[in-house]
């Protein structure tokens, strides 16, 4: 949200505001196209190095891995768009799955585990929102605390014995794969469209982006900043609960330390996709593309290292590549912000000359 300058008319303000937003969309669109091209190029390269990379079984496996990360990424995009962070999404996902799985093992009908996972995610999101928006605790500290809480809770629940979800039921067919058809991809597209609607077509998204762009100006405009920051965290927590459903349907066993580091992969995908680390700019589609890039890299490296009998852990190599990619993505975000800043300076200079 851009405040109206003293010597600037409403028409002039709207012109420059629309121009800056248009420039942001163009730059984000270019970045997402580049990432998508990189994903397709990597798929071709990995297939050339190991033809087994594109067999049907591996495609299903990649989609199973993509769905939880992409859905968590979509949720945390709303938080990052406000200029905050949510480190608890990964452990919230696993904690929700662990609690629901333990109740299932105790006799709870499988269908009832779904609302329980969603409810746990939403409650943790609400707690995060209360800490950050109402109590003014820095988001890094507040969500770090709930992250450790979720990690400890899930470890205690699954310690003896592990938590198990069923295989070959309607649950797996609806949320994982139906007769080797990766239905998880359909769900990812569905949630991406819902997220796009909320972010770009609803006042929730407009206010969230406004908070990230200029929180004080948003407050002075009469918008309840605390309310919409809390809403962003609830969306993030709810998305983690939804991700827990897909994780449970795809990976039936939840053991101690399952999912450690999931939040970092999901957040990295959001940054890679073009959402600004400082808030005010969000790329919903980019969050899914960023998650897909990381899944393709990790899975492809497994096949390449196995094909050439290279004694390296693909996960560690992926961390190295992810770190480089994230730094480059944030650097692009800095350059993009500088370009937008120059447009604003030019606007002010032009108004002063009038």
């Amino acid at each position: 949200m851009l405040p109206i300058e003293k010597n600037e008319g409403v028409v002039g303000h709207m012109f420059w505001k629309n121009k800056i937003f248009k420039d942001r969309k163009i730059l984000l669109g270019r970045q997402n196209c580049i990432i998508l091209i990189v994903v397709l190029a990597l798929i071709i390269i990995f297939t050339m190095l190991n033809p087994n990379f594109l067999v049907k079984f591996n495609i299903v496996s990649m989609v199973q891995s993509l769905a939880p990360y992409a859905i968590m990424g979509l949720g945390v995009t709303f938080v990052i768009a406000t200029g905050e962070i949510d480190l608890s999404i990964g452990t919230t996902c696993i904690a929700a799955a662990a609690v629901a799985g333990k109740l299932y093992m105790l006799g709870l009908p499988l269908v009832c585990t779904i609302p329980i996972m969603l409810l746990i995610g939403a409650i943790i999101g609400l707690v995060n929102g209360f800490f950050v928006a109402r109590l003014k605790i820095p988001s890094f500290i507040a969500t770090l605390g709930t992250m450790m809480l979720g990690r400890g809770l899930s470890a205690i629940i699954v310690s003896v014995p592990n938590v198990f979800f069923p295989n070959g039921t309607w649950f797996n067919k609806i949320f994982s794969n139906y007769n080797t058809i990766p239905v998880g991809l359909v769900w990812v597209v569905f949630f991406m469209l819902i997220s796009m609607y909320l972010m770009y077509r609803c006042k929730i998204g407009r206010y969230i982006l406004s908070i990230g762009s200029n929180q004080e100006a948003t407050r002075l405009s009469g918008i309840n900043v605390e309310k919409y920051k809390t809403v962003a965290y609830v969306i993030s927590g709810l998305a983690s609960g939804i991700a827990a459903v897909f994780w449970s349907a795809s990976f039936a066993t939840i053991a101690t330390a399952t999912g450690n580091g999931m939040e970092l992969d999901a957040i990295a995908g959001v940054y890679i996709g073009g959402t600004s680390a400082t808030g005010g700019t969000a790329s919903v589609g980019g969050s899914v593309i960023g998650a897909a890039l990381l899944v393709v890299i990790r899975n492809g490296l497994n096949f390449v290292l196995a094909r050439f009998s290279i004694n390296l852990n693909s996960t560690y190599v992926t961390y190295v590549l992810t770190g480089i990619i994230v730094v480059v993505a944030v650097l692009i975000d800095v350059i993009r912000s500088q370009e937008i800043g120059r447009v604003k300076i030019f606007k002010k200079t032009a108004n002063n000359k009038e």
Side-chain angles (χ1 to χ4, degrees):
M1 181 175 179
L2 302 173
I4 299 178
E5 301 292 336
K6 200 184 250 187
N7 60 345
E8 181 180 12
V10 174
V11 175
H13 168 65
M14 291 305 298
F15 170 79
W16 285 105
K17 180 178 179 181
N18 290 335
K19 176 173 174 42
I20 290 172
F21 284 171
K22 183 178 179 181
D23 290 343
R24 284 177 174 175
K25 288 180 180 179
I26 292 173
L27 291 170
L28 281 175
R30 289 175 181 172
Q31 182 173 336
N32 289 337
C33 286
I34 292 171
I35 298 170
L36 187 57
I37 291 171
V38 171
V39 172
L40 295 175
L42 286 173
I43 291 174
I44 294 172
I45 292 170
F46 288 139
T47 303
M48 292 174 62
L49 294 173
N50 191 334
N52 291 327
F53 178 73
L54 268 189
V55 298
K56 192 170 186 179
F57 173 80
N58 193 49
I59 293 174
V60 173
S61 177
M62 284 194 290
V63 173
Q64 287 176 329
S65 299
L66 171 65
Y69 288 105
I71 292 170
M72 281 191 292
L74 289 171
V76 80
T77 298
F78 287 84
V79 172
I80 295 175
T82 67
E84 305 290 353
I85 194 66
D86 187 353
L87 298 176
S88 68
I89 54 176
T91 54
T92 296
C93 170
I94 298 305
V99 171
K102 179 64 75 173
L103 292 175
Y104 167 73
M105 293 175 66
L106 294 174
L108 184 74
L110 183 59
V111 67
C112 295
T113 63
I114 297 174
I116 287 176
M117 285 186 265
L118 302 187
L119 182 61
I120 291 173
I123 290 174
I124 294 178
L126 183 63
V127 170
N128 284 332
F130 177 75
F131 286 159
V132 175
R134 302 292 179 179
L135 300 184
K136 310 302 180 186
I137 299 175
S139 58
F140 182 89
I141 302 300
T143 59
L144 179 64
T146 49
M147 179 186 78
M148 300 305 293
L149 173 66
R151 180 174 297 177
L153 177 64
S154 58
I156 291 171
I157 291 174
V158 305
S159 56
V160 182
N162 292 337
V163 170
F164 298 96
F165 280 88
N167 279 316
T169 66
W170 61 267
F171 185 63
N172 312 102
K173 293 178 180 179
I174 292 176
F175 299 111
S176 182
N177 71 84
Y178 182 81
N179 295 331
T180 70
I181 298 174
V183 293
L185 188 59
V186 177
W187 282 104
V188 169
V189 173
F190 173 71
F191 287 120
M192 182 182 71
L193 293 176
I194 291 179
S195 299
M196 284 181 171
Y197 177 76
L198 290 176
M199 184 69 79
Y200 305 129
R201 296 294 181 182
C202 292
K203 70 176 183 179
I204 290 175
R206 292 197 297 270
Y207 290 168
I208 284 174
L209 291 172
S210 179
I211 291 170
S213 179
N214 192 326
Q215 180 170 307
E216 189 57 30
T218 304
R219 190 188 307 277
L220 294 175
S221 298
I223 297 171
N224 189 332
V225 172
E226 288 76 16
K227 173 184 175 181
Y228 286 97
K229 271 194 176 183
T230 304
V231 168
Y233 275 102
V234 171
I235 292 174
S236 180
L238 182 60
S240 296
I242 296 172
V245 176
F246 288 87
W247 183 274
S248 304
S250 299
F251 310 104
T253 303
I254 300 177
T256 305
T258 296
N260 285 351
M262 287 177 65
E263 61 282 337
L264 302 180
D265 289 337
I267 292 171
V270 174
Y271 288 147
I272 292 170
T275 297
S276 176
T278 57
T281 303
S283 177
V284 173
S287 297
V288 174
I289 297 173
L293 175 64
L294 298 180
V295 169
V296 168
I297 289 175
R298 177 169 296 174
N299 193 275
L301 284 173
N302 274 327
F303 277 80
V304 172
L305 295 176
R307 170 69 174 77
F308 296 97
S309 301
I310 300 174
N311 189 22
L312 283 175
N313 189 311
S314 64
T315 300
Y316 300 148
V317 178
T318 304
Y319 285 153
V320 173
L321 294 177
T322 301
I324 296 172
I325 295 171
V326 168
V327 170
V328 172
V330 173
L331 180 60
I332 292 173
D333 176 49
V334 171
I335 295 172
R336 183 171 62 234
S337 299
Q338 290 174 345
E339 289 293 330
I340 294 171
R342 279 194 283 271
V343 171
K344 293 170 71 174
I345 292 172
F346 177 75
K347 175 200 68 172
K348 293 181 180 179
T349 303
N351 286 331
N352 290 334
K353 289 180 179 179
E354 293 179 354

